Amino acid sequence: MEFAELIKTPRADNVVLHRPFYLAVEGTLCLTGHHLIFSSRRQDNAEELWLLHSNIDSIEKRFVGSLGTIIIKCKDLRIIQLDIPGMEECLNIASSIEALSTLDSVTLMYPFFYRPMFEIVEDGWRSFLPDQEFELLSSVTDEWRLSCINKEFSVCPSYPPVVIVPKSIDDEALRKVAMFRHGSRFPVLSYYHKKNGMVMMRSSQPLTGTNGRRCKEDEKLINATLRPGKRGYIIDTRSLNVAQQARAKGGGFEQEAHYPQWRRIHKCIERFNILQESLIKLVEACNDQSHNMDRWLSKLEASNWLTHIKEILTAACLAAQCIDREGASVLVHGTEGTDSTLQVTSLAQIILDPSCRTIRGFESLVVREWLQAGHPFQQRCAQSAYSNSKQKWEAPVFLLFLDCVWQILRQFPCSFEFNEQFLIMLFEHAYASQFGTFLGNNENERSKLKLQQKTMSLWSWVNRSEELSKFQNPLFEANSLVIWPSVAPQSLQLWEGVFLRWNRPSKFLDEAQEEMINIIKYNKELQAKVNALRRQLAEMETDDRMQENL
Amino acid sequence: PPPLFFLQVEQVKLLDRFSTSNKSLTGTLYLTATHLLFIDSSQRETWILHHHIAAVEKLPLTTSGCPLVIQCKNFRIVHFVVPRERDCHDIYNSLLQLSRTAKYEELYAFSYNPKQNKSEQVKGWQLIDLAEEYKRMGVPNANWQLSDANRDYKICETYPRELYVPRTASKPIIVGSSKFRSKGRFPVLSYYHKNKEAAICRCSQPLSGFSARCLEDEHMLQAISKANPSNRYMYVMDTRPKLNAMANRAAGKGYENEDNYSNIRFQFVGIENIHVMRSSLQKLLEVSGTKGLSVNDFLSGLENSGWLRHIKAVLDAAVFLVKAIAVESASVLVHCSDGWDRTSQVCSLGALLLDSYYRTIKGFMVLIEKDWISFGHKFSDRCCQLDGDPKEISPVFTQFLESVWNLTEQFPQAFEYNEAFLLQIHEHVHSCQFGNFLGNCQKEREELKLKEKTYSLWPFLLDEQKKYQNPLYNPDLSPELLEPNTVSFNFKFWRNMYHQFDRSMHPRQSVFNLIMNMSEQNKQLEEDIKELETKIKRRNGQSDVVLVKEHQQSAHPAPMALKTPPCFKKEQPLIPVNDAVRTIEGSNTADNRYSEFVAEFSKAEPAVVSLEYGVARMTC
């Protein structure tokens, strides 16, 4: 196998591992095709660190005499340092790590080699199928149909094979609409609000261009979602200015004249390198313990991260508000409809739909609104905060979404079945994983890679009861209401669980969390016991009464 | 008896502070001798104590009436619109009079009657006994003794009568030293660390000017360092920025010259003065009160206000002090200028980090009584209890509470009390409802006969301590010595203090309240189990006669499942304002304000303006 060629020094002894807030540990370092493994030699408390090469974002080396030092910065934002005696060993190991963490071919990635050590109860690849989703929908409305128009990915390469569209629009019309939308991403159903029958659709920008092209089928399609005499809202995730500029490149936005029943609202959500730079700046600020207060606050501000959070949440609240409060249908799009569009549509569903706040419901949301909807995970999550590559397509779009979910979770801590750990786990797996779920950029690529046959789904692992218990929120109490988060800056917080995770000791916070869980568990136990005793007493009383009557 | 309203105005609007669409409630505004009361159309009451009012402002007349903005010392801001200008003028003038008190005797505490009898009142005042506290610390002992030098407030008017000093500090040394210190505030014991035999002492700045020295003062410091057998060196912490201390030399004041004092290590720690702190808070409030605030304006405003920088400076100073004691077993003498602001902050926080007793509810009361009340932090001036010099106002005590809050965030299990306790104390430092914080020093308090004429706050807080208990408190898991992390990112904006009354900014469900109720319920359940088990046991071995009796009693068996958690219903609120407001969940009035939306809609889409956000009513 080619990996062996890349590993010149597979093993080094007397390596010292440094991590913040831990004592340095001496041990042995091993390199395998997909992992960096460090095991301490201390017999009493043997410790092992397994690091996926694909989790490594950047690597630096330094030398003092013959002692080499490698600093490894990971995509999950952790930074570790390895002191390796011997210059040659160190150089070899560094170059191997560099090569192994930047493999070009997807099929060399760990998910293709990973063999699960657990029993598969449920195949995650089959957990969330569009047909099932549609069945649920059909039970409440018959205005929609499942279209197989994209079966061979021939109409839209970034859409899944089946999509949900208005019943009154046939495939022929869809084909025409696809020609009118960027990347052929014609409007499809994203969410149906059972409470009032309003819907949220998503698409990409219309290709109106400078001469104001129109497409009757497109107009017909989105009008098909409106009730007679009712208005709809188009939420364009770009500023009006950006949307207008897009016309020069053949893109554009829906003109009032052709869409008289629709009101267009522009919200400005950033994309691409602006977001990546924001992440890089934020992590840089969080990693520097020496900042004085002014510098910390100005760096936090300069990163703009929380501004992006506020923008995204605000747009999502707006979409949710149009649907729930205004009783109007909504179409959301930006340019391609693969980034900010998905942030808005998925967050709006979390606000509106209690089922998205359960573990399974959230997984289903990620599958529908991110994976199947064609968010290019492989491009976006190729590098994280320590990247030097500055590729335009790298952007923490999904991390921002998770952060927004965390903000809502903070404000409604009892309304979610999952906890913060669940969100952090998804962040980690989106960037580096033993599972195939987040590989590829869309369903088309995934099917070509035969991921279903060749790799394991993340959901197969997560949805086992052993794992699930780690991600369950003990405070969860199903809340059937719409939850409106506050977007005031005073209500938004830095996601410490991700950004300060490796930068401060968390012993006391962890212990407090544990105590909290104990109180809840104890409460459940006591309640059960009281109920059992009461029942016992009641039975005794009945018995006595019966005896009396005899 | 029904409260006396001497002013009543109908059809007053209470505007939402942050709403950009002028959302409002309509109701009737009343003024009583002690409170402003607003009752809206759904009979919800908003009470504002006159003493809590920091400023009243009449804005220019609008078409809907005359706007009146009231800013409170507990950071509540209410915005009324009064239909008729004359009424508004009347309210304005009345409030100005009512909120500005010229004499202590006119403060609420002198008329507040909590229906306690005389002996309860006396017992209440005896709840905190500082002599007892010094005994707990381990003084007097071989090295420290109680001095009667200030028994009649002759040496220092702003110190308490009872002071602890090194045994070797004779009266002439005390007198001499006090003459060399600002306001006579000579070095005395604030906290004694039994294990380390080290002491925290406090004083004011020396009157050293550019070259003056005082042998008695030098002796005094020597006596302090000699009273510590573990380390003959002592630290002298000047909590001011070096520049300020140097400027004081020109006024004949200043700081200790290391050459003149043997065995001292002198250190500046750079906490700013009361004026800087006052304007810092002012800036903070301006930022946080802005409508439609952006994240970046908030963060840069937070930075420009310097508020968190000051909080960090205070905590850093306390950490420095604690290290000297815990690591080097060295005694520390702390001072600033007069030794009643920054010195109180640093000494009390230091003790709080060193001694877990101060992290209990009772212990925290003791700490405040000792380092703040008895040592003459000028509560009256700093909180503007009487109409006086606005330059004397400063949020020094608020900063202390905020520092403690920061510690409770870092050490969630180390404190017996919770955030509500800190907020309630803050409330009453300004309410003038109880005698504890009235006046500027003990002498003044005695002259006012506060113990006869007013009530102490502490027994009331202790009575309702269930509300203030931290359900996660576990002293066994928490270290005796707290070593807080003071890296900048640990300091956060204290939303629950500065937006305490802006409900829409708070989480809609509070984990804390839930856990608090649950752990309270657990106690009840444990009782229930005991009771049920005895019943079952009795039933298993009882005669038929008893059986019939019991049977009749339990004709209505208890419901199978518990539905409502017990407790938290019975308490009688100290003042009516808080309880209604502190409950965050279940509110159906407060709105979420996606303020931009509203603006957006009303600008671009005039057809759609009815954007009311009902709030999801939570079940927890």
Side-chain angles (χ1 to χ4, degrees):
Chain A
M1 171 72 241
E2 318 78 321
F3 294 129
E5 293 162 26
L6 296 174
I7 305 170
K8 287 173 224 154
T9 303
R11 179 194 157 113
D13 289 316
N14 305 321
V15 173
V16 180
L17 167 71
H18 301 269
R19 289 164 297 178
F21 310 109
Y22 286 92
L23 292 175
V25 201
E26 194 179 320
T28 303
L29 180 73
C30 292
L31 291 187
T32 72
H34 293 103
H35 285 95
L36 175 156
I37 305 157
F38 176 90
S39 45
S40 81
R41 288 184 312 175
R42 282 211 316 269
Q43 293 296 309
D44 51 330
N45 190 12
E47 208 184 332
E48 277 194 355
L49 172 82
W50 287 64
L51 196 64
L52 261 181
H53 291 315
S54 55
N55 187 9
I56 295 172
D57 207 22
S58 86
I59 168 169
E60 289 162 25
K61 44 189 185 288
R62 265 188 241 143
F63 290 95
V64 179
S66 66
L67 182 76
T69 292
I70 300 178
I71 294 166
I72 296 174
K73 300 183 175 179
C74 302
K75 289 175 188 165
D76 62 13
L77 310 183
R78 161 173 35 178
I79 297 180
I80 61 168
Q81 181 188 326
L82 295 165
D83 294 342
I84 301 167
M87 190 177 299
E88 199 190 328
E89 277 88 347
C90 185
L91 278 173
N92 284 346
I93 287 169
S95 69
S96 302
I97 294 175
E98 216 159 335
L100 290 165
S101 60
T102 52
L103 298 171
D104 324 317
S105 167
V106 181
T107 51
L108 290 178
M109 300 292 268
Y110 186 50
F112 288 93
F113 299 83
Y114 171 70
R115 291 291 160 264
M117 303 290 282
F118 56 86
E119 192 196 344
I120 293 143
V121 186
E122 178 192 337
D123 180 6
W125 289 119
R126 308 199 54 77
S127 293
F128 307 101
L129 299 175
D131 312 39
Q132 294 163 0
E133 291 292 331
F134 183 71
E135 225 166 90
L136 283 175
L137 179 71
S138 315
S139 66
V140 284
T141 170
D142 60 356
E143 291 166 346
W144 297 82
R145 69 183 184 94
L146 212 52
S147 165
C148 299
I149 187 176
N150 202 36
K151 209 171 182 179
E152 310 295 330
F153 304 102
S154 51
V155 174
C156 173
S158 63
Y159 266 174
V162 285
V163 287
I164 302 174
V165 293
K167 208 173 203 171
S168 56
I169 306 297
D170 60 24
D171 282 358
E172 212 33 62
L174 287 181
R175 254 179 260 279
K176 285 187 183 145
V177 178
M179 306 274 281
F180 182 63
R181 291 274 172 179
H182 190 122
S184 308
R185 293 173 67 93
F186 53 88
V188 295
L189 182 76
S190 163
Y191 171 67
Y192 180 87
H193 197 44
K194 282 186 209 123
K195 200 167 115 191
N196 60 10
M198 293 301 131
V199 299
M200 179 162 56
M201 287 181 301
R202 54 175 159 74
S203 68
S204 58
Q205 65 177 346
L207 302 174
T208 54
T210 39
N211 50 9
R213 246 181 88 203
R214 65 187 283 196
C215 169
K216 285 265 166 70
E217 287 77 8
D218 189 82
E219 292 157 23
K220 201 177 152 209
L221 193 166
I222 70 165
N223 285 339
T225 66
L226 293 178
R227 295 280 144 84
K230 280 284 211 170
R231 247 189 202 140
Y233 289 93
I234 295 171
I235 296 176
D236 193 322
T237 60
R238 306 162 294 179
S239 67
L240 179 60
N241 209 0
V242 173
Q244 275 165 345
Q245 282 164 8
R247 288 192 298 199
K249 292 183 202 154
F253 51 86
E254 294 81 356
Q255 253 123 18
E256 285 84 353
H258 304 151
Y259 299 84
Q261 285 164 281
W262 294 82
R263 296 269 172 189
R264 209 179 59 247
I265 302 171
H266 290 274
K267 290 263 120 188
C268 180
I269 300 180
E270 296 294 348
R271 300 185 312 145
F272 299 130
N273 47 327
I274 291 178
L275 299 183
Q276 187 76 354
E277 261 156 41
S278 171
L279 175 69
I280 290 170
K281 281 186 192 161
L282 176 69
V283 171
E284 209 176 84
C286 291
N287 284 353
D288 193 335
Q289 309 257 333
S290 69
H291 284 329
N292 65 29
M293 187 60 72
D294 290 359
R295 192 146 175 80
W296 157 247
L297 288 173
S298 74
K299 287 228 160 190
L300 182 62
E301 182 199 340
S303 80
N304 276 324
W305 185 264
L306 288 169
T307 299
H308 299 314
I309 296 288
K310 184 172 154 81
E311 278 165 359
I312 298 165
L313 271 176
T314 307
C317 289
L318 176 67
Q321 183 197 339
C322 291
I323 294 169
D324 189 67
R325 299 277 142 173
E326 297 296 303
S329 285
V330 170
L331 169 67
V332 184
H333 70 73
T335 305
E336 285 99 342
T338 54
D339 294 282
S340 53
T341 303
L342 305 182
Q343 288 172 329
V344 173
T345 57
S346 53
L347 285 167
Q349 290 179 56
I350 283 166
I351 292 166
L352 292 170
D353 184 359
S355 73
C356 292
R357 300 172 219 144
T358 65
I359 290 182
R360 261 200 112 80
F362 190 76
E363 289 170 357
S364 161
L365 182 77
V366 170
V367 171
R368 263 186 294 129
E369 291 297 299
W370 290 88
L371 291 160
Q372 292 172 354
H375 174 67
F377 275 98
Q378 196 172 308
Q379 286 184 350
R380 298 289 181 264
C381 301
Q383 297 257 260
S384 163
Y386 304 117
S387 126
N388 307 314
S389 69
K390 302 263 158 79
Q391 299 286 358
K392 195 193 173 208
W393 55 76
E394 288 161 5
V397 177
F398 187 62
L399 176 57
L400 276 162
F401 158 70
L402 293 176
D403 196 334
C404 289
V405 177
W406 178 80
Q407 304 283 349
I408 307 177
L409 172 64
R410 285 280 302 198
Q411 296 188 26
F412 296 87
C414 308
S415 300
F416 289 81
E417 194 193 359
F418 50 86
N419 59 16
E420 179 181 3
Q421 289 312 312
F422 185 66
L423 299 173
I424 296 174
M425 179 273 295
L426 288 175
F427 158 58
E428 289 173 339
H429 283 277
Y431 280 84
S433 176
Q434 66 267 47
F435 303 108
T437 301
F438 291 106
L439 292 183
N441 290 308
N442 49 50
E443 293 294 89
N444 187 9
E445 286 185 26
R446 285 183 200 108
S447 96
K448 280 182 189 144
L449 289 166
K450 295 198 167 55
L451 292 181
Q452 297 207 19
Q453 294 84 43
K454 292 185 173 169
T455 74
M456 178 68 47
S457 160
L458 171 67
W459 317 121
S460 306
W461 171 72
V462 173
N463 287 337
R464 292 154 57 249
S465 53
E466 301 94 301
E467 296 305 323
L468 274 181
S469 63
K470 289 183 219 158
F471 302 129
Q472 265 152 358
N473 173 8
L475 295 169
F476 177 57
E477 206 172 301
N479 168 9
S480 62
L481 298 163
V482 176
I483 53 176
W484 300 107
S486 161
V487 295
Q490 294 96 322
S491 305
L492 301 178
Q493 279 180 300
L494 177 70
W495 190 3
E496 298 175 11
V498 164
F499 298 109
L500 300 181
R501 184 179 179 189
W502 313 102
N503 297 332
R504 55 164 193 195
S506 63
K507 176 171 175 275
F508 296 114
L509 300 180
D510 295 344
E511 281 172 0
Q513 187 67 25
E514 214 171 286
E515 175 64 19
M516 205 183 79
I517 293 171
N518 286 340
I519 291 174
I520 299 165
K521 270 193 195 150
Y522 187 49
N523 184 265
K524 282 183 185 146
E525 274 169 38
L526 288 177
Q527 296 236 19
K529 190 156 180 197
V530 166
N531 287 340
L533 287 174
R534 285 210 173 125
R535 216 168 295 132
Q536 194 185 343
L537 198 64
E539 273 164 21
M540 286 170 110
E541 277 162 5
T542 330
D543 286 352
D544 290 345
R545 229 169 300 156
M546 277 163 66
Q547 272 180 358
E548 251 171 79
N549 290 344
L550 278 175
Chain B
L4 281 172
F5 304 127
F6 55 80
L7 210 134
Q8 174 175 350
V9 182
E10 316 269 343
Q11 291 297 313
V12 173
K13 283 197 180 115
L14 174 61
L15 295 191
D16 185 312
R17 181 180 170 198
F18 290 99
S19 165
T20 43
S21 63
N22 287 351
K23 233 185 71 66
S24 66
L25 297 165
T26 305
T28 308
L29 191 148
Y30 304 88
L31 290 187
T32 77
T34 52
H35 289 84
L36 176 155
L37 169 62
F38 177 78
I39 304 180
D40 67 26
S41 50
S42 40
Q43 297 306 307
R44 264 185 315 257
E45 300 173 2
T46 306
W47 292 80
I48 293 171
L49 191 63
H50 296 324
H51 295 320
H52 268 145
I53 296 175
V56 192
E57 199 186 349
K58 238 171 60 174
L59 302 182
L61 197 66
T62 68
T63 47
S64 53
C66 190
L68 188 70
V69 180
I70 301 174
Q71 278 183 48
C72 299
K73 294 172 184 171
N74 55 10
F75 309 117
R76 180 204 280 266
I77 292 179
V78 283
H79 195 146
F80 290 116
V81 177
V82 186
R84 292 194 309 165
E85 195 179 8
R86 168 180 287 181
D87 288 335
C88 185
H89 196 70
D90 285 349
I91 300 170
Y92 175 78
N93 283 336
S94 307
L95 284 179
L96 276 191
Q97 277 179 14
L98 290 164
S99 62
R100 286 183 189 167
T101 313
K103 289 204 318 240
Y104 282 116
E105 284 78 1
E106 290 164 7
L107 293 174
Y108 186 30
F110 288 88
S111 61
Y112 174 63
N113 182 1
K115 299 195 185 81
Q116 270 191 351
N117 62 37
K118 207 73 208 158
S119 79
E120 282 173 311
Q121 185 181 19
V122 172
K123 253 175 76 190
W125 280 111
Q126 286 164 346
L127 184 70
I128 306 296
D129 179 356
L130 290 185
E132 212 35 64
E133 167 58 10
Y134 284 101
K135 218 185 272 172
R136 188 195 67 85
M137 288 180 204
V139 287
N141 60 25
N143 295 314
W144 293 87
Q145 65 176 4
L146 177 65
S147 159
D148 62 359
N150 201 40
R151 206 174 36 196
D152 303 316
Y153 297 115
K154 281 210 176 112
I155 293 183
C156 175
E157 289 204 327
T158 58
Y159 265 174
R161 291 174 188 271
E162 306 199 325
L163 294 166
Y164 291 80
V165 293
R167 274 196 192 276
T168 54
S170 63
K171 192 149 181 198
I173 289 181
I174 293 175
V175 173
S177 166
S178 81
K179 285 186 176 144
F180 189 62
R181 294 275 168 183
S182 233
K183 309 275 192 319
R185 294 170 68 94
F186 61 99
V188 295
L189 183 79
S190 161
Y191 177 73
Y192 179 76
H193 196 288
K194 235 189 286 182
N195 291 341
K196 302 278 179 188
E197 298 178 284
I200 301 177
C201 294
R202 53 185 293 170
C203 61
S204 60
Q205 64 185 337
L207 305 176
S208 51
F210 289 102
S211 59
R213 41 190 302 195
C214 167
L215 285 180
E216 289 93 335
D217 193 62
E218 289 161 25
H219 270 130
M220 187 76 203
L221 264 66
Q222 213 161 27
I224 292 173
S225 68
K226 275 189 186 149
N228 179 352
S230 339
N231 191 336
R232 63 195 187 93
Y233 278 99
M234 70 180 278
Y235 283 91
V236 174
M237 275 174 81
D238 190 327
T239 56
R240 299 169 293 182
K242 190 173 181 184
L243 218 63
N244 300 20
M246 282 167 66
N248 263 301
R249 292 206 296 191
K253 299 164 189 171
Y255 53 92
E256 290 81 356
N257 182 342
E258 264 180 299
D259 299 337
N260 300 339
Y261 293 83
S262 45
N263 301 336
I264 71 160
R265 286 181 183 141
F266 186 85
Q267 178 76 36
F268 287 111
V269 290
I271 304 173
E272 299 287 351
N273 65 26
I274 57 166
H275 311 296
V276 175
M277 300 309 189
R278 178 180 56 245
S279 82
S280 170
L281 179 64
Q282 192 57 42
K283 285 182 202 155
L284 179 81
L285 296 178
E286 266 166 36
V287 173
S288 67
T290 310
K291 277 185 188 181
L293 187 64
S294 77
V295 173
N296 282 354
D297 286 346
F298 175 62
L299 289 175
S300 66
L302 199 57
E303 182 197 338
N304 291 334
S305 77
W307 185 253
L308 291 179
R309 173 160 47 89
H310 300 313
I311 300 291
K312 177 171 152 57
V314 171
L315 210 50
D316 274 330
V319 168
F320 179 88
L321 182 156
V322 163
K323 270 192 188 144
I325 291 187
V327 179
E328 297 179 51
S329 301
S331 291
V332 185
L333 174 65
V334 184
H335 72 72
C336 45
S337 295
D338 290 319
W340 50 45
D341 294 309
R342 291 168 268 202
T343 302
S344 294
Q345 288 177 329
V346 174
C347 289
S348 56
L349 282 171
L352 184 88
L353 293 174
L354 286 166
D355 191 336
S356 61
Y357 175 63
Y358 299 126
R359 295 170 226 148
T360 64
I361 289 181
K362 177 90 183 286
F364 195 62
M365 298 172 177
V366 169
L367 187 67
I368 291 173
E369 279 284 345
K370 177 169 71 73
D371 273 310
W372 291 87
I373 296 173
S374 91
F375 278 116
H377 172 68
K378 303 203 290 173
F379 278 106
S380 177
D381 288 357
R382 298 291 176 261
C383 305
C384 193
Q385 290 170 354
L386 299 184
D387 201 16
D389 183 0
K391 288 214 169 74
E392 283 286 316
I393 303 171
S394 190
V396 175
F397 188 73
T398 307
Q399 290 182 320
F400 163 68
L401 291 178
E402 183 162 338
S403 306
V404 177
W405 172 75
N406 262 296
L407 294 172
T408 63
E409 289 280 292
Q410 274 195 50
F411 303 96
Q413 297 193 267
F415 291 81
E416 190 191 8
Y417 41 89
N418 60 24
E419 188 181 36
F421 186 58
L422 302 176
L423 293 174
Q424 186 69 285
I425 291 173
H426 184 263
E427 184 87 11
H428 285 296
V429 164
H430 294 95
S431 73
C432 302
Q433 187 176 357
F434 296 92
N436 308 62
F437 304 103
L438 299 193
N440 284 321
C441 60
Q442 293 295 61
K443 184 166 176 263
E444 202 172 6
R445 286 182 196 108
E446 284 174 21
E447 285 162 7
L448 288 168
K449 298 200 168 51
L450 292 178
K451 291 194 178 177
E452 293 155 45
K453 295 182 174 166
T454 72
Y455 295 85
S456 166
L457 167 68
W458 308 126
F460 290 88
L461 293 185
L462 224 45
D463 264 1
E464 39 171 38
Q465 63 171 307
K466 266 185 187 160
K467 287 205 303 201
Y468 307 126
Q469 264 159 0
N470 169 10
L472 302 179
Y473 177 52
N474 188 339
D476 303 332
L477 270 181
S478 313
E480 182 66 20
L481 171 71
L482 296 188
E483 298 172 86
N485 181 336
T486 59
V487 175
S488 300
F489 56 55
N490 289 292
F491 294 86
K492 277 168 271 179
F493 173 72
W494 193 4
R495 184 182 53 208
N496 289 357
M497 172 66 95
Y498 303 104
H499 289 294
Q500 192 186 156
F501 300 93
D502 304 314
R503 276 188 268 179
S504 63
M505 279 188 191
H506 298 262
R508 297 290 154 167
Q509 298 168 319
S510 155
V511 174
F512 192 83
N513 286 351
L514 202 79
I515 297 296
M516 199 152 91
N517 288 346
M518 220 175 243
S519 76
E520 200 51 49
Q521 191 190 35
N522 284 356
K523 284 179 208 150
Q524 182 63 43
L525 286 168
E526 280 170 349
E527 299 270 302
D528 289 358
I529 287 174
K530 252 186 244 158
E531 200 181 308
L532 284 165
E533 278 174 343
T534 357
K535 268 191 193 163
I536 289 171
K537 218 179 270 168
R538 239 190 308 166
R539 211 164 257 282
N540 279 336
Q542 73 197 155
S543 72
D544 287 10
V545 190
V546 189
L547 208 149
V548 176
K549 252 189 173 173
E550 276 253 343
H551 172 207
Q552 283 167 342
Q553 266 177 5
S554 53
H556 303 286
M560 282 309 219
L562 278 178
K563 269 190 188 146
T564 44
C567 297
F568 292 98
K569 286 279 171 328
K570 65 168 182 27
E571 82 274 356
Q572 200 201 340
L574 280 177
I575 49 167
V577 193
N578 295 335
D579 288 80
V581 167
R582 285 240 172 77
T583 25
I584 289 158
E585 320 79 24
S587 72
N588 43 16
T589 52
D591 285 353
N592 289 279
R593 315 179 183 88
Y594 312 116
S595 39
E596 300 90 331
F597 300 6
V598 183
E600 190 105 3
F601 271 107
S602 43
K603 253 188 282 159
E605 325 289 338
V608 198
V609 273
S610 63
L611 290 170
E612 295 291 303
Y613 306 90
V615 154
R617 194 183 298 183
M618 290 304 118
T619 45
C620 84

